DNA sequence: CTATCTTTGTGCACGCGTTCACAAAGACAT
DNA sequence: ATGTCTTTGTGAACGCGTGCACAAAGATAG
């Protein structure tokens, strides 16, 4: 999953822990599903199961919002949907701009989950002049030169970056200069932003690498359980240390450096 | 960011904390960039800056892998690239299957970051018979009916789900039954999997909602700093409680329920 | 060989997040 | 009205992650 806000060192926003905020959308989704099935009330146990979390955690999370439950009964679904929506700021309209209309940018523009919940794709921006005017998902692509004006005119405060990594920081700087204060970054780059600007990153490559780590570990454990000798790759750090004059891996030659 | 592993409750894998594992890909990326510029060594301070983290944290992270640095000098870039790659399991080939070739699935198939770093798109799978045979990113799409065989034949252990939410759990079950033990889920659904299977989720909608929360909060603080009266949406929980017979928001009528 | 200087590796303390376990609160039946 | 039963809300304990601050290690110069 994409993780980690940058800057603003874990300040509790209005007393609501960051971890709780990250789970509210999950609860909201489960509650919306219940609401569509016209379920009037739900217990913490049921809702927690639907959201895939511990029921105690869910109750504690809700306790930060206020006392919205009824003991012996549970939570009123409609009321809770409204309260969480309000808390997350989804009762207002959020115009969003997507910068970098390649495969991913176009896919996001077409993504249905965007339009619902108060988020509206207000503008698509790309650096390629040939794309200017071409409609993507029914919205004409505009050129980067007009970025500043586009952001201002539409009152965009949330920007989505889907550019190649090399362009990400520059685009980010321009977005921030134009007034954007929240950025969702899909480019595999560490963005640096001034205080007061929130950045969240979604990084496919990182997610896969984390999965690979656990996958390798599972394979190693399995082999150990089979009584097979553990693979060399799973052994502790080798005694041979690399020095500037001795650059070799423990098992001989160093493999070719992998591309980014 | 996509966040949160499901199941397997925070077990320290071979002594390496989960939080550290999640940062290793970040370090690896920064190190690879240095390697391409032929930088021989790097200090924890420099590398930490490039990766966007605290230098003490970076040193502690590396200490879990072993003592790979040289006091007074820093870390050997090439050696560290190799060690982290090995630790993450990137020295081997990981065939990946993408299920659900819509806008997003196609975008991922075309994504360059996939191919590098040992991950290889081994198969594209979709439920639409009309798509079968159509090449996407140079790889012919295969039908869901053959999912089991495709996974087995290619030795796929990592699956990527980019289906509509309604199909995600079913696809997940089939993947797991076929032998997949790691899943990257882009569908906005809580997947339930048996023990031993890792799930990571990437959820655009959740990321946006978290950003909206902080955005709303920033707007509220700003207004308060201006001496303006705080907006009603930012005030503490209202005294009026909703009961099954009194379903109203604190400010009057309940807004229409939002779509999922 | 000794002294100095740089940078790592880590002991320690602190704070956040999670979980347990239970008292309090309300619904509901009698 | 009283008692029972269900479910919430939360106090308290625990564990993980973070960051400070410093001792130990090694490089480098004289």
């Amino acid at each position: 999953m994409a993780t980690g806000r940058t800057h603003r060192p874990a300040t509790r926003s209005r007393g609501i822990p960051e971890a709780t905020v990250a789970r509210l959308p999950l609860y909201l989704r489960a509650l919306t599903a219940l609401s569509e099935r016209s379920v009037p009330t739900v217990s913490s146990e049921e809702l927690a199961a639907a959201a895939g979390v511990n029921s105690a955690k869910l109750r504690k999370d809700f306790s930060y919002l206020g006392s919205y439950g009824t003991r012996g009964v549970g939570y009123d679904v409609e009321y809770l949907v409204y309260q969480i929506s309000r808390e997350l700021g989804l009762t207002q309209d959020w115009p969003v701009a997507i910068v970098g209309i390649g495969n991913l940018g176009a896919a996001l523009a077409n993504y249905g989950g965007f339009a619902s919940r108060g988020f509206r794709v207000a503008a698509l921006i790309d650096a390629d002049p040939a794309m200017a005017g071409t409609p993507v998902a029914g919205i004409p692509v505009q050129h980067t030169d007009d970025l500043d004006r586009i952001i201002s005119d539409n009152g965009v405060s949330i920007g989505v970056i889907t550019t190649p990594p090399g362009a990400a920081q520059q685009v980010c700087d321009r977005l921030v200069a134009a007034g954007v204060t929240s950025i969702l970054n899909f480019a595999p780059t560490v963005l640096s932003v001034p205080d007061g600007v929130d950045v969240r990153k979604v990084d496919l490559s990182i997610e896969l690498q984390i999965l690979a780590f656990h996958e390798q570990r599972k394979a190693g454990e399995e082999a150990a359980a089979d009584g097979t000798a553990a693979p060399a790759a799973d052994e502790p750090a080798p005694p041979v240390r690399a020095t500037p004059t001795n650059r070799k891996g423990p098992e001989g030659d160093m493999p070719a450096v992998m591309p980014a």
Side-chain angles (χ1 to χ4, degrees), chain A:
Chain A
M1 66 198 79
T3 277
R5 294 162 62 220
T6 320
H7 292 270
R8 189 185 301 256
T11 315
R12 276 211 181 169
S13 318
R14 149 101 176 288
I16 301 182
E18 192 57 33
T20 295
V21 173
R23 279 187 296 267
L24 289 182
L26 226 53
Y27 301 145
L28 183 55
R29 183 174 291 158
L31 284 164
T32 305
L34 290 172
S35 172
E36 278 166 4
R37 286 166 41 208
S38 300
V39 176
T41 61
V42 66
S43 71
S44 63
E45 204 72 48
E46 293 167 327
L47 185 54
V53 302
N54 185 302
S55 72
K57 195 186 298 190
L58 179 142
R59 287 199 300 276
K60 180 143 290 193
D61 283 341
F62 285 175
S63 78
Y64 292 115
L65 307 184
S67 279
Y68 293 153
T70 305
R71 295 172 192 232
V73 175
Y75 299 91
D76 182 80
V77 172
E78 298 293 326
Y79 186 64
L80 204 46
V81 164
Y82 171 66
Q83 288 300 337
I84 295 180
S85 294
R86 189 173 61 84
E87 197 67 53
L88 286 172
L90 304 181
T91 51
Q92 59 183 284
D93 184 65
W94 294 106
V96 172
I98 303 177
V99 186
I101 313 303
N103 282 313
L104 182 57
L108 293 187
N110 280 294
Y111 180 50
F114 236 130
S116 52
R117 295 237 184 274
F119 299 101
R120 182 172 49 85
V121 180
L124 304 180
I125 303 175
D126 198 280
D128 182 3
M131 290 204 66
T134 313
V136 171
I139 303 166
V141 176
Q142 297 179 271
H143 192 263
T144 320
D145 286 349
D146 301 324
L147 188 145
D148 218 90
R149 184 185 51 73
I150 299 167
I151 299 297
S152 309
D153 286 2
N154 292 282
V156 171
S157 55
I158 300 179
V160 178
I161 297 180
T162 49
T163 65
Q169 181 63 58
Q170 191 191 348
V171 165
C172 173
D173 291 343
R174 295 191 61 188
L175 285 173
V176 170
V180 165
T181 46
S182 285
I183 290 177
L184 185 51
N185 180 30
F186 285 81
T189 318
V190 176
L191 293 180
S192 73
V193 292
D195 278 6
V197 176
D198 283 309
V199 175
R200 295 189 68 86
K201 68 164 180 291
V202 174
D203 196 317
L204 168 63
S205 176
I206 288 182
E207 299 304 319
L208 280 177
Q209 289 176 46
I210 295 172
L211 285 177
F213 172 85
H214 293 293
E215 200 60 34
Q216 184 186 43
R217 189 178 133 273
K218 278 184 275 188
E221 272 177 4
E222 194 176 284
D226 288 352
T228 317
D234 223 17
E235 286 180 356
V240 178
R241 273 281 319 292
T243 67
T245 52
N246 169 27
R247 303 224 194 102
K248 287 211 173 204
E251 290 102 15
D253 285 344
M254 183 89 68
V257 178
M258 299 167 183

